[in-house]
Amino acid sequence: MAGDFGADDASETDTIRLGARIRAYRTMRQMTLRDLAGQAGASPGFISQLERGRTSASIGMLRRIAWVLGLTVADLFSEGDPLEPRVLRRSERPELPTGPGARKYLISQRPLQNLEMYSGEFDPGASTGDEPYTHGDSQEILLVLRGRATLWIGPPESASSYELEAGDSIEYRTSTPHRVVNESTEPVEVLWLISPPTPA
């Protein structure tokens, strides 16, 4: 029961490798076959066959499976072993766009597995942006490593502020509008930890 994703071109080895990666990521996320199938709009039997390399899937189905697992389709075909240790040097951290005077780096390497982790540096007066933002509905922890940061949570008209010193942390949902501001005169360094990873 082959789909339209390269059924004629993909080798049996590629099909088996793809299935093994889907199974590895599903297991890492502590999802059952039924969980993945239900959220991806497939039958458990089909997912089982796919994971064992007995069938192929359409690109549309692979997109849905990848989204449920918090991955991209490209991640499903990556050559890296998701279970192997992966070192990321400080100098190699990918920098993400943010506001003036602020720097944000991705620490958890893609493809994301069970959590997202970012580090942030804020010059005096810098912030994550003028407007609060949301992303998915996951658990997020902000930990201040150095300096004093202010976290604003809630819509702008009714936001609450929390001043955090080095060593302090705060936990909230990513679906709640939030922004980080350095209202002090010293540099600030923070960590964000998010689980499960929020959809891209």
Side-chain angles (χ1 to χ4, degrees):
M1 188 172 74
D4 61 18
F5 178 75
D8 298 328
D9 304 317
S11 70
E12 183 178 346
T13 301
D14 292 336
T15 303
I16 292 171
R17 186 180 297 127
L18 171 63
R21 288 183 66 78
I22 291 171
R23 182 172 58 250
Y25 280 113
R26 176 180 62 78
T27 302
M28 247 187 284
R29 283 156 175 69
Q30 300 183 341
M31 297 179 74
T32 65
L33 278 168
R34 191 171 297 280
D35 291 336
L36 177 56
Q39 294 182 54
S43 70
F46 173 78
I47 297 297
S48 176
Q49 292 282 319
L50 184 62
E51 289 187 350
R52 288 182 289 157
R54 302 284 180 83
T55 190
S56 58
S58 69
I59 191 65
M61 176 57 69
L62 288 179
R63 282 196 185 106
R64 291 196 295 276
I65 289 171
W67 185 87
V68 171
L69 295 174
L71 306 169
T72 66
V73 173
D75 292 333
L76 294 178
F77 292 92
S78 171
E79 292 300 318
D81 184 340
L83 303 179
E84 285 293 314
R86 299 182 293 171
V87 175
L88 177 65
R89 304 297 179 191
R90 184 183 180 95
S91 60
E92 297 170 350
R93 292 178 184 173
E95 184 170 357
L96 307 173
T98 188
R103 293 158 299 284
K104 187 173 185 178
Y105 304 94
L106 179 63
I107 294 179
S108 48
Q109 298 181 65
R110 297 191 184 280
L112 300 176
Q113 299 183 13
N114 297 305
L115 59 82
E116 282 177 275
M117 186 174 179
Y118 300 89
S119 67
E121 300 169 356
F122 298 89
D123 296 337
S127 71
T128 51
D130 293 335
E131 297 295 326
Y133 65 100
T134 63
H135 46 108
D137 184 28
S138 296
Q139 175 187 12
E140 180 164 280
I141 296 174
L142 173 69
L143 171 66
V144 178
L145 300 177
R146 179 170 58 104
R148 187 173 71 250
T150 302
L151 178 70
W152 289 86
I153 297 182
E157 63 276 5
S158 59
S160 299
S161 66
Y162 299 85
E163 192 171 285
L164 305 170
E165 304 278 352
D168 294 344
S169 62
I170 186 169
E171 184 176 331
Y172 49 93
R173 302 299 298 183
T174 60
S175 54
T176 304
H178 54 280
R179 65 189 287 259
V180 178
V181 185
N182 180 1
E183 297 178 350
S184 74
T185 58
E186 301 293 331
V188 166
E189 187 174 0
V190 303
L191 280 180
W192 289 274
L193 294 95
I194 304 155
S195 181
T198 55

